[in-house]
Amino acid sequence: MNSLTTEVGYISLNKFGEQLCGDRIEMIEYEDCMTLVLADGLGSGVKANILSTLTSKILATMMASGLELEDCVETIASTLPVCKERKVAYSTFTIIQINNNEEADLIQFDNPAVIFLRDGVSQDYAVSEQIIAGKKISKSRVKVRPGDMFVSMSDGVLYAGVGMSLNFGWQRENIVDYLEANYLPDMSANMAATLIAEECNRLYGERPGDDTTVAAVRIRRRQQVNLMLGPPLDPADDNKMMQLFFSKEGKKIVCGGTTSACVARYLGKEVTTSLDYTDPDVPPIGYIDGIDLVTEGVITITKVLKYAQLYISGNDLVAHWREGKDGASLIAQLLFETATDINFFVGRAVNPAHQNPNLPINMGIKMRLVDELVKCLEQMGKKIKVSYF
C-alpha cells in the first residue's frame, strides 16, 4: 500500500438569494491519479449552475481518462450552451491533477491562481501559457511531498468584502497571509477550505454577493481507523471477529452496548459509561481500556451519517461535529478528518432491544446505515473495506 494519499476538501457559499450555486466541484480518482475540477459558470443561478456542471464533469472525465488538454478544452468550447442575452458560453476553471502522489499538474483558466503551501508557507511555482480554442490556459507542474497543500477558489473569494469591510475585496496576498497565519501541520484539506469560506462569509456580512467556492488538496500519509458495529450473527464467530479487528493497525471505535460487552469480555476489561449528555440527541460515550472510542450503536451512527451527508454537500459551513464531544461528533472527527483508510466490522446479529414494533430500528436499517455511510466516506476519498459477520 502506498504510504501517501491525496485528501480533498471543498465548500461553497451560494450567492445570497440563490437556490443553486454557479460554482461546481468534480473529483475523479482513477488508478494512481486524482483529478479535481473547480468550475465557475458565468453569472449566477440556473444558467451558471448548468455551465459549471457541464464544464466540471466533462473536464474531470476527459482529463482522468488521459486525454490531451487541447481536446478537453476544445470539447468544452464546442459543448457549452450559449447564453442568449450575453451571446457567450463561459465558465472559468481550475484543474488540479495529482499523479502517483509524486507530482501535481495545475491547469488554470481565469480563476484566481492556485495557492501552493509547503510547511505552511506559500511557494511560487513556474507557469507557462498556451492558447487553446481562444482561451489563455496557464499550466504548471510541481513535485510534491507529504504535507503539501494546494488551494483553489472561484472569484467570489476575491470579491468578499468589496464595498463593505474592504475597499478592493480580499486580495490573493491577503488570503495567503490568512492561510499562513492559521496553518496547522495536521490541518485537513476540508478544514483549510472551511477556514477561508468562513472568513469570506464574515466579510460578506453573511450575504455573499457572488457564488464562493474553495477547494483544497493535501498530500498526506495514510492513516487507518477501524470501526466495529454489532456482534456476529453466529456467537461462535465472536473470536474470529475480535481477532481480525484487533489485528488491524490504527484507531479503534466500538459502537453498541452488546458489541462493547463482547469486546470487554474478549479483552478481560470492564465497560464504564459516562453520564454526560454533551448532546441531548446522542447517547453518552463509554470507556474500555485499550479502545480509542466506545459509543452507542444505531442512534449514534444515524447522527454520523447526517454529518457525512452535510460534509459531502459542500455547504456545511458550521460543521458542529468538528468541536463536539459527543459520540457522533467524535466518530465524525476520526472518520472524516483522521482516517484515510477505514475498516468496518459489521455484526449481523439482531439486537432483541430493536424488536419492539414501536421502535423504528431493525436489522435492515442498520445495514442501510452502514451502506449509506460507506458511500459518503467514499465520496470523501476514503478507502473503505467492510467485513460482515
Short mmCIF file of all heavy atoms in Angstrom, two decimals, residues 196-249:
data_model
loop_
_atom_site.label_atom_id
_atom_site.label_comp_id
_atom_site.label_asym_id
_atom_site.label_seq_id
_atom_site.Cartn_x
_atom_site.Cartn_y
_atom_site.Cartn_z
N ILE A 196 -11.19 29.42 4.97
CA ILE A 196 -11.29 30.54 4.03
C ILE A 196 -12.76 30.90 3.77
O ILE A 196 -13.13 32.08 3.74
CB ILE A 196 -10.60 30.20 2.70
CG1 ILE A 196 -9.11 29.95 2.94
CG2 ILE A 196 -10.78 31.32 1.68
CD1 ILE A 196 -8.38 29.44 1.72
N ALA A 197 -13.61 29.87 3.60
CA ALA A 197 -15.02 30.13 3.34
C ALA A 197 -15.68 30.87 4.50
O ALA A 197 -16.52 31.77 4.29
CB ALA A 197 -15.75 28.82 3.07
N GLU A 198 -15.33 30.50 5.73
CA GLU A 198 -15.88 31.18 6.92
C GLU A 198 -15.51 32.66 6.90
O GLU A 198 -16.34 33.53 7.20
CB GLU A 198 -15.36 30.53 8.20
CG GLU A 198 -16.02 29.22 8.56
CD GLU A 198 -15.43 28.60 9.81
OE1 GLU A 198 -14.28 28.94 10.16
OE2 GLU A 198 -16.12 27.76 10.43
N GLU A 199 -14.26 32.96 6.57
CA GLU A 199 -13.82 34.35 6.55
C GLU A 199 -14.51 35.12 5.42
O GLU A 199 -14.89 36.29 5.58
CB GLU A 199 -12.30 34.42 6.40
CG GLU A 199 -11.71 35.82 6.44
CD GLU A 199 -11.91 36.56 7.76
OE1 GLU A 199 -12.38 35.94 8.75
OE2 GLU A 199 -11.59 37.77 7.81
N CYS A 200 -14.70 34.46 4.27
CA CYS A 200 -15.44 35.09 3.18
C CYS A 200 -16.87 35.44 3.62
O CYS A 200 -17.37 36.54 3.35
CB CYS A 200 -15.51 34.16 1.97
SG CYS A 200 -13.96 33.99 1.07
N ASN A 201 -17.51 34.49 4.27
CA ASN A 201 -18.87 34.70 4.74
C ASN A 201 -18.94 35.89 5.70
O ASN A 201 -19.87 36.70 5.65
CB ASN A 201 -19.39 33.43 5.42
CG ASN A 201 -20.90 33.37 5.49
OD1 ASN A 201 -21.59 33.75 4.55
ND2 ASN A 201 -21.43 32.91 6.61
N ARG A 202 -17.93 35.99 6.57
CA ARG A 202 -17.88 37.11 7.51
C ARG A 202 -17.69 38.43 6.76
O ARG A 202 -18.37 39.43 7.05
CB ARG A 202 -16.73 36.89 8.51
CG ARG A 202 -16.68 37.93 9.63
CD ARG A 202 -15.43 37.79 10.47
NE ARG A 202 -14.23 38.22 9.74
CZ ARG A 202 -13.88 39.49 9.58
NH1 ARG A 202 -14.63 40.47 10.08
NH2 ARG A 202 -12.78 39.80 8.92
N LEU A 203 -16.77 38.44 5.79
CA LEU A 203 -16.50 39.66 5.03
C LEU A 203 -17.72 40.10 4.21
O LEU A 203 -17.94 41.29 3.98
CB LEU A 203 -15.29 39.46 4.11
CG LEU A 203 -13.93 39.32 4.81
CD1 LEU A 203 -12.87 38.88 3.81
CD2 LEU A 203 -13.53 40.63 5.48
N TYR A 204 -18.51 39.13 3.78
CA TYR A 204 -19.74 39.42 3.02
C TYR A 204 -20.90 39.81 3.95
O TYR A 204 -22.01 40.06 3.46
CB TYR A 204 -20.17 38.20 2.22
CG TYR A 204 -19.55 38.06 0.84
CD1 TYR A 204 -18.87 36.91 0.47
CD2 TYR A 204 -19.70 39.07 -0.12
CE1 TYR A 204 -18.33 36.76 -0.81
CE2 TYR A 204 -19.17 38.93 -1.40
CZ TYR A 204 -18.48 37.78 -1.74
OH TYR A 204 -17.97 37.64 -3.01
N GLY A 205 -20.66 39.82 5.26
CA GLY A 205 -21.74 40.08 6.20
C GLY A 205 -22.80 38.99 6.15
O GLY A 205 -23.99 39.25 6.38
N GLU A 206 -22.36 37.76 5.86
CA GLU A 206 -23.21 36.58 5.76
C GLU A 206 -24.25 36.69 4.64
O GLU A 206 -25.26 35.99 4.64
CB GLU A 206 -23.88 36.26 7.10
CG GLU A 206 -22.85 35.96 8.20
CD GLU A 206 -23.49 35.49 9.49
OE1 GLU A 206 -24.73 35.38 9.56
OE2 GLU A 206 -22.73 35.24 10.45
N ARG A 207 -23.99 37.57 3.68
CA ARG A 207 -24.84 37.70 2.49
C ARG A 207 -23.94 37.74 1.25
O ARG A 207 -23.73 38.82 0.68
CB ARG A 207 -25.70 38.96 2.56
CG ARG A 207 -26.75 38.92 3.66
CD ARG A 207 -27.67 40.13 3.56
NE ARG A 207 -28.84 39.94 4.41
CZ ARG A 207 -30.02 40.50 4.20
NH1 ARG A 207 -30.19 41.28 3.13
NH2 ARG A 207 -31.03 40.31 5.01
N PRO A 208 -23.40 36.59 0.85
CA PRO A 208 -22.44 36.57 -0.25
C PRO A 208 -22.95 37.26 -1.50
O PRO A 208 -24.07 37.00 -1.95
CB PRO A 208 -22.22 35.07 -0.49
CG PRO A 208 -22.54 34.43 0.82
CD PRO A 208 -23.64 35.25 1.41
N GLY A 209 -22.14 38.16 -2.07
CA GLY A 209 -22.53 38.87 -3.28
C GLY A 209 -22.22 38.09 -4.54
O GLY A 209 -22.56 38.52 -5.64
N ASP A 210 -21.58 36.92 -4.38
CA ASP A 210 -21.26 36.08 -5.52
C ASP A 210 -21.11 34.64 -5.02
O ASP A 210 -20.85 34.41 -3.83
CB ASP A 210 -19.94 36.54 -6.17
CG ASP A 210 -19.68 35.88 -7.52
OD1 ASP A 210 -20.62 35.26 -8.07
OD2 ASP A 210 -18.54 35.98 -8.01
N ASP A 211 -21.31 33.68 -5.91
CA ASP A 211 -21.03 32.29 -5.54
C ASP A 211 -19.56 32.20 -5.16
O ASP A 211 -18.69 32.73 -5.86
CB ASP A 211 -21.31 31.35 -6.72
CG ASP A 211 -22.78 31.37 -7.13
OD1 ASP A 211 -23.63 31.15 -6.25
OD2 ASP A 211 -23.06 31.60 -8.32
N THR A 212 -19.30 31.52 -4.05
CA THR A 212 -17.94 31.49 -3.49
C THR A 212 -17.57 30.05 -3.16
O THR A 212 -18.24 29.41 -2.34
CB THR A 212 -17.88 32.35 -2.21
OG1 THR A 212 -18.27 33.69 -2.53
CG2 THR A 212 -16.50 32.34 -1.60
N THR A 213 -16.53 29.53 -3.80
CA THR A 213 -16.12 28.14 -3.59
C THR A 213 -14.63 28.06 -3.33
O THR A 213 -13.83 28.74 -3.98
CB THR A 213 -16.48 27.28 -4.82
OG1 THR A 213 -17.90 27.28 -5.00
CG2 THR A 213 -16.00 25.84 -4.66
N VAL A 214 -14.27 27.22 -2.36
CA VAL A 214 -12.86 26.96 -2.05
C VAL A 214 -12.66 25.45 -2.07
O VAL A 214 -13.45 24.70 -1.49
CB VAL A 214 -12.47 27.51 -0.66
CG1 VAL A 214 -10.97 27.36 -0.44
CG2 VAL A 214 -12.90 28.96 -0.49
N ALA A 215 -11.61 24.99 -2.75
CA ALA A 215 -11.26 23.57 -2.76
C ALA A 215 -9.80 23.43 -2.39
O ALA A 215 -8.94 24.16 -2.91
CB ALA A 215 -11.52 22.95 -4.13
N ALA A 216 -9.50 22.51 -1.47
CA ALA A 216 -8.11 22.28 -1.05
C ALA A 216 -7.75 20.82 -1.31
O ALA A 216 -8.58 19.92 -1.15
CB ALA A 216 -7.94 22.61 0.43
N VAL A 217 -6.51 20.62 -1.72
CA VAL A 217 -5.97 19.29 -1.97
C VAL A 217 -4.69 19.15 -1.16
O VAL A 217 -3.80 20.01 -1.27
CB VAL A 217 -5.67 19.07 -3.47
CG1 VAL A 217 -5.03 17.70 -3.69
CG2 VAL A 217 -6.95 19.20 -4.30
N ARG A 218 -4.61 18.10 -0.35
CA ARG A 218 -3.45 17.93 0.54
C ARG A 218 -2.82 16.55 0.33
O ARG A 218 -3.53 15.54 0.22
CB ARG A 218 -3.92 18.08 1.99
CG ARG A 218 -2.89 17.78 3.06
CD ARG A 218 -3.55 17.90 4.43
NE ARG A 218 -2.67 17.46 5.51
CZ ARG A 218 -3.03 16.67 6.51
NH1 ARG A 218 -4.27 16.21 6.57
NH2 ARG A 218 -2.18 16.34 7.45
N ILE A 219 -1.51 16.50 0.27
CA ILE A 219 -0.79 15.23 0.21
C ILE A 219 -0.49 14.81 1.64
O ILE A 219 0.15 15.55 2.39
CB ILE A 219 0.54 15.36 -0.57
CG1 ILE A 219 0.31 16.07 -1.92
CG2 ILE A 219 1.19 14.00 -0.77
CD1 ILE A 219 -0.64 15.36 -2.85
N ARG A 220 -0.96 13.64 2.04
CA ARG A 220 -0.77 13.23 3.43
C ARG A 220 -0.46 11.74 3.54
O ARG A 220 -0.65 10.97 2.59
CB ARG A 220 -2.02 13.54 4.26
CG ARG A 220 -3.28 12.85 3.77
CD ARG A 220 -4.39 12.96 4.79
NE ARG A 220 -4.10 12.20 6.00
CZ ARG A 220 -4.98 11.94 6.95
NH1 ARG A 220 -6.21 12.40 6.86
NH2 ARG A 220 -4.65 11.24 8.01
N ARG A 221 0.06 11.35 4.69
CA ARG A 221 0.36 9.95 4.94
C ARG A 221 -0.93 9.22 5.29
O ARG A 221 -1.83 9.77 5.93
CB ARG A 221 1.39 9.80 6.07
CG ARG A 221 2.72 10.45 5.71
CD ARG A 221 3.85 9.99 6.61
NE ARG A 221 5.08 10.69 6.28
CZ ARG A 221 5.89 10.37 5.27
NH1 ARG A 221 5.57 9.34 4.49
NH2 ARG A 221 6.99 11.06 5.04
N ARG A 222 -1.00 7.97 4.87
CA ARG A 222 -2.20 7.17 5.14
C ARG A 222 -2.34 6.91 6.63
O ARG A 222 -1.35 6.75 7.34
CB ARG A 222 -2.13 5.84 4.39
CG ARG A 222 -1.98 5.99 2.89
CD ARG A 222 -2.08 4.66 2.20
NE ARG A 222 -3.46 4.37 1.87
CZ ARG A 222 -4.02 4.66 0.70
NH1 ARG A 222 -3.31 5.24 -0.24
NH2 ARG A 222 -5.27 4.37 0.46
N GLN A 223 -3.59 6.85 7.08
CA GLN A 223 -3.88 6.56 8.48
C GLN A 223 -5.15 5.72 8.55
O GLN A 223 -6.18 6.10 7.98
CB GLN A 223 -4.03 7.86 9.27
CG GLN A 223 -3.93 7.66 10.77
CD GLN A 223 -3.62 8.96 11.51
OE1 GLN A 223 -3.24 9.96 10.91
NE2 GLN A 223 -3.77 8.95 12.81
N GLN A 224 -5.06 4.61 9.24
CA GLN A 224 -6.17 3.65 9.28
C GLN A 224 -7.01 3.82 10.55
O GLN A 224 -6.48 4.09 11.62
CB GLN A 224 -5.58 2.23 9.24
CG GLN A 224 -6.58 1.13 8.97
CD GLN A 224 -5.87 -0.15 8.53
OE1 GLN A 224 -5.86 -0.48 7.36
NE2 GLN A 224 -5.28 -0.86 9.48
N VAL A 225 -8.32 3.69 10.39
CA VAL A 225 -9.25 3.68 11.53
C VAL A 225 -10.17 2.46 11.35
O VAL A 225 -10.59 2.15 10.24
CB VAL A 225 -10.09 4.98 11.59
CG1 VAL A 225 -11.22 4.85 12.62
CG2 VAL A 225 -9.20 6.17 11.94
N ASN A 226 -10.46 1.77 12.47
CA ASN A 226 -11.27 0.56 12.44
C ASN A 226 -12.52 0.76 13.30
O ASN A 226 -12.42 1.23 14.43
CB ASN A 226 -10.47 -0.62 13.00
CG ASN A 226 -9.11 -0.75 12.31
OD1 ASN A 226 -9.02 -1.21 11.19
ND2 ASN A 226 -8.06 -0.30 12.98
N LEU A 227 -13.69 0.41 12.74
CA LEU A 227 -14.94 0.59 13.46
C LEU A 227 -15.72 -0.73 13.50
O LEU A 227 -15.93 -1.36 12.46
CB LEU A 227 -15.79 1.68 12.80
CG LEU A 227 -17.07 2.09 13.51
CD1 LEU A 227 -17.37 3.57 13.28
CD2 LEU A 227 -18.28 1.26 13.06
N MET A 228 -16.14 -1.13 14.71
CA MET A 228 -16.94 -2.33 14.89
C MET A 228 -18.34 -1.95 15.34
O MET A 228 -18.52 -1.14 16.25
CB MET A 228 -16.30 -3.26 15.94
CG MET A 228 -17.06 -4.57 16.15
SD MET A 228 -16.39 -5.57 17.50
CE MET A 228 -14.85 -6.12 16.78
N LEU A 229 -19.35 -2.52 14.65
CA LEU A 229 -20.75 -2.22 14.97
C LEU A 229 -21.54 -3.52 14.99
O LEU A 229 -21.73 -4.16 13.94
CB LEU A 229 -21.33 -1.26 13.93
CG LEU A 229 -22.83 -0.98 14.00
CD1 LEU A 229 -23.19 -0.26 15.29
CD2 LEU A 229 -23.28 -0.14 12.79
N GLY A 230 -21.99 -3.94 16.15
CA GLY A 230 -22.85 -5.11 16.26
C GLY A 230 -22.08 -6.42 16.41
O GLY A 230 -21.03 -6.59 15.78
N PRO A 231 -22.61 -7.35 17.20
CA PRO A 231 -21.98 -8.67 17.34
C PRO A 231 -22.30 -9.56 16.14
O PRO A 231 -23.25 -9.29 15.40
CB PRO A 231 -22.63 -9.22 18.62
CG PRO A 231 -23.96 -8.53 18.69
CD PRO A 231 -23.78 -7.17 18.07
N PRO A 232 -21.53 -10.64 15.93
CA PRO A 232 -21.75 -11.51 14.77
C PRO A 232 -23.07 -12.28 14.86
O PRO A 232 -23.60 -12.50 15.95
CB PRO A 232 -20.55 -12.46 14.78
CG PRO A 232 -20.05 -12.43 16.18
CD PRO A 232 -20.36 -11.07 16.72
N LEU A 233 -23.57 -12.68 13.71
CA LEU A 233 -24.81 -13.45 13.63
C LEU A 233 -24.69 -14.75 14.41
O LEU A 233 -25.59 -15.15 15.15
CB LEU A 233 -25.15 -13.73 12.16
CG LEU A 233 -26.47 -14.43 11.86
CD1 LEU A 233 -27.65 -13.58 12.34
CD2 LEU A 233 -26.58 -14.70 10.36
N ASP A 234 -23.54 -15.42 14.26
CA ASP A 234 -23.27 -16.68 14.97
C ASP A 234 -22.30 -16.39 16.10
O ASP A 234 -21.15 -15.98 15.86
CB ASP A 234 -22.65 -17.69 13.99
CG ASP A 234 -22.42 -19.06 14.64
OD1 ASP A 234 -22.54 -19.16 15.88
OD2 ASP A 234 -22.10 -20.00 13.89
N PRO A 235 -22.72 -16.58 17.37
CA PRO A 235 -21.82 -16.31 18.51
C PRO A 235 -20.49 -17.05 18.41
O PRO A 235 -19.50 -16.61 18.98
CB PRO A 235 -22.63 -16.80 19.71
CG PRO A 235 -24.06 -16.70 19.27
CD PRO A 235 -24.05 -17.02 17.80
N ALA A 236 -20.45 -18.14 17.66
CA ALA A 236 -19.20 -18.89 17.50
C ALA A 236 -18.15 -18.08 16.74
O ALA A 236 -16.96 -18.41 16.77
CB ALA A 236 -19.47 -20.21 16.77
N ASP A 237 -18.61 -17.02 16.04
CA ASP A 237 -17.68 -16.18 15.27
C ASP A 237 -17.13 -15.00 16.07
O ASP A 237 -16.39 -14.17 15.53
CB ASP A 237 -18.37 -15.65 14.01
CG ASP A 237 -18.59 -16.72 12.97
OD1 ASP A 237 -17.83 -17.71 12.98
OD2 ASP A 237 -19.52 -16.58 12.15
N ASP A 238 -17.52 -14.93 17.36
CA ASP A 238 -17.05 -13.82 18.21
C ASP A 238 -15.53 -13.66 18.16
O ASP A 238 -15.02 -12.57 17.89
CB ASP A 238 -17.48 -14.04 19.67
CG ASP A 238 -18.85 -13.42 19.95
OD1 ASP A 238 -19.49 -12.95 19.00
OD2 ASP A 238 -19.26 -13.42 21.13
N ASN A 239 -14.83 -14.76 18.43
CA ASN A 239 -13.37 -14.69 18.50
C ASN A 239 -12.75 -14.32 17.15
O ASN A 239 -11.80 -13.54 17.08
CB ASN A 239 -12.78 -16.02 18.98
CG ASN A 239 -12.65 -16.04 20.50
OD1 ASN A 239 -13.00 -15.08 21.18
ND2 ASN A 239 -12.14 -17.14 21.04
N LYS A 240 -13.31 -14.88 16.07
CA LYS A 240 -12.80 -14.57 14.74
C LYS A 240 -12.93 -13.08 14.44
O LYS A 240 -11.99 -12.43 13.95
CB LYS A 240 -13.58 -15.38 13.69
CG LYS A 240 -13.15 -15.10 12.26
CD LYS A 240 -14.04 -15.88 11.27
CE LYS A 240 -13.71 -15.51 9.83
NZ LYS A 240 -14.63 -16.18 8.87
N MET A 241 -14.10 -12.52 14.76
CA MET A 241 -14.34 -11.09 14.52
C MET A 241 -13.38 -10.24 15.36
O MET A 241 -12.78 -9.28 14.87
CB MET A 241 -15.79 -10.76 14.87
CG MET A 241 -16.23 -9.34 14.53
SD MET A 241 -17.98 -9.10 14.96
CE MET A 241 -18.30 -7.47 14.31
N MET A 242 -13.21 -10.62 16.64
CA MET A 242 -12.34 -9.86 17.54
C MET A 242 -10.88 -9.94 17.09
O MET A 242 -10.15 -8.94 17.09
CB MET A 242 -12.46 -10.38 18.98
CG MET A 242 -13.84 -10.20 19.58
SD MET A 242 -14.31 -8.46 19.71
CE MET A 242 -16.08 -8.61 19.92
N GLN A 243 -10.43 -11.12 16.71
CA GLN A 243 -9.04 -11.29 16.30
C GLN A 243 -8.72 -10.45 15.07
O GLN A 243 -7.67 -9.81 14.99
CB GLN A 243 -8.75 -12.77 16.02
CG GLN A 243 -8.65 -13.62 17.29
CD GLN A 243 -8.63 -15.11 17.00
OE1 GLN A 243 -8.70 -15.55 15.85
NE2 GLN A 243 -8.55 -15.92 18.06
N LEU A 244 -9.65 -10.44 14.10
CA LEU A 244 -9.42 -9.63 12.89
C LEU A 244 -9.41 -8.14 13.23
O LEU A 244 -8.57 -7.38 12.74
CB LEU A 244 -10.51 -9.93 11.85
CG LEU A 244 -10.36 -11.24 11.09
CD1 LEU A 244 -11.61 -11.53 10.27
CD2 LEU A 244 -9.14 -11.21 10.18
N PHE A 245 -10.35 -7.74 14.08
CA PHE A 245 -10.45 -6.33 14.48
C PHE A 245 -9.17 -5.87 15.17
O PHE A 245 -8.61 -4.81 14.84
CB PHE A 245 -11.66 -6.16 15.40
CG PHE A 245 -11.91 -4.74 15.87
CD1 PHE A 245 -12.33 -3.76 15.00
CD2 PHE A 245 -11.76 -4.40 17.22
CE1 PHE A 245 -12.58 -2.46 15.43
CE2 PHE A 245 -12.00 -3.11 17.66
CZ PHE A 245 -12.42 -2.15 16.77
N PHE A 246 -8.68 -6.67 16.10
CA PHE A 246 -7.50 -6.25 16.87
C PHE A 246 -6.19 -6.50 16.14
O PHE A 246 -5.14 -6.04 16.59
CB PHE A 246 -7.51 -6.92 18.25
CG PHE A 246 -8.51 -6.32 19.19
CD1 PHE A 246 -9.72 -6.95 19.44
CD2 PHE A 246 -8.26 -5.10 19.80
CE1 PHE A 246 -10.67 -6.38 20.28
CE2 PHE A 246 -9.19 -4.52 20.64
CZ PHE A 246 -10.40 -5.16 20.89
N SER A 247 -6.25 -7.19 15.01
CA SER A 247 -5.03 -7.39 14.22
C SER A 247 -4.71 -6.17 13.36
O SER A 247 -3.60 -6.05 12.83
CB SER A 247 -5.17 -8.63 13.32
OG SER A 247 -6.09 -8.38 12.26
N LYS A 248 -5.69 -5.27 13.22
CA LYS A 248 -5.51 -4.09 12.37
C LYS A 248 -4.80 -2.97 13.12
O LYS A 248 -5.03 -2.75 14.30
CB LYS A 248 -6.87 -3.58 11.87
CG LYS A 248 -7.66 -4.58 11.04
CD LYS A 248 -6.98 -4.87 9.72
CE LYS A 248 -7.83 -5.78 8.85
NZ LYS A 248 -7.15 -6.11 7.57
N GLU A 249 -3.94 -2.27 12.39
CA GLU A 249 -3.30 -1.09 12.96
C GLU A 249 -4.27 0.08 12.95
O GLU A 249 -5.23 0.10 12.18
CB GLU A 249 -2.05 -0.72 12.14
CG GLU A 249 -0.94 -1.76 12.20
CD GLU A 249 0.27 -1.31 11.39
OE1 GLU A 249 0.18 -0.26 10.72
OE2 GLU A 249 1.28 -2.04 11.40
#
